[in-house]
Amino acid sequence: MMSGNFLFISGQEIIVVLLIVLLLFGSKEIPKLARTFGKGMKEFKRATDDIKKEFESSTPEIAEDFRKIKRNLTKDANEIKNNLTKDAEEIARGVKKNLDVD
């Protein structure tokens, strides 16, 4: 973990950014900017939480759908295998019968 770095920005870079913000907006505007930024972050977190809850609530349904698909595919594969085995046995009997006749 990178200690002393916040989002890969060093302490000196943070101070430079804060000084630029202070020069551009003045000391009276900084609290307003901070509040606006805080509200934006709060809304972003709320939206992220909503997406996470929706994903978590739909995950069991999706998992069950995948289980049903797997069961159906396994059943179909077993049927195909059994049919192919029967066909191969019939062909083998036919070939043996033809060889025995000659």
Side-chain angles (χ1 to χ4, degrees):
M1 192 166 131
M2 303 174 75
S3 61
N5 288 336
F6 177 74
L7 297 175
F8 306 109
I9 300 175
S10 70
Q12 293 172 344
E13 292 169 336
I14 291 173
I15 291 172
V16 170
V17 170
L18 290 175
L19 287 174
I20 291 171
V21 169
L22 181 63
L23 290 172
L24 289 175
F25 297 104
S27 63
K28 292 182 181 180
E29 293 295 317
I30 291 178
K32 291 178 188 175
L33 289 172
R35 272 192 296 279
T36 303
F37 180 74
K39 287 178 184 178
M41 291 301 294
K42 184 178 179 181
E43 185 62 31
F44 179 76
K45 182 169 175 23
R46 185 178 303 136
T48 304
D49 289 343
D50 288 345
I51 292 170
K52 184 178 175 183
K53 286 177 188 175
E54 185 175 327
F55 179 76
E56 288 174 350
S57 69
S58 66
T59 301
E61 296 168 6
I62 294 170
E64 181 59 31
D65 290 342
F66 278 118
R67 281 191 288 276
K68 287 179 184 177
I69 291 169
K70 181 181 176 186
R71 281 193 299 267
N72 289 336
L73 288 174
T74 303
K75 184 178 104 179
D76 292 344
N78 287 334
E79 286 179 18
I80 292 170
K81 177 183 166 189
N82 292 336
N83 290 337
L84 289 174
T85 302
K86 287 178 187 176
D87 291 345
E89 289 171 353
E90 287 178 21
I91 292 171
R93 280 193 298 270
V95 169
K96 185 176 180 183
K97 183 179 177 183
N98 286 336
L99 290 176
D100 288 342
V101 172
D102 291 338

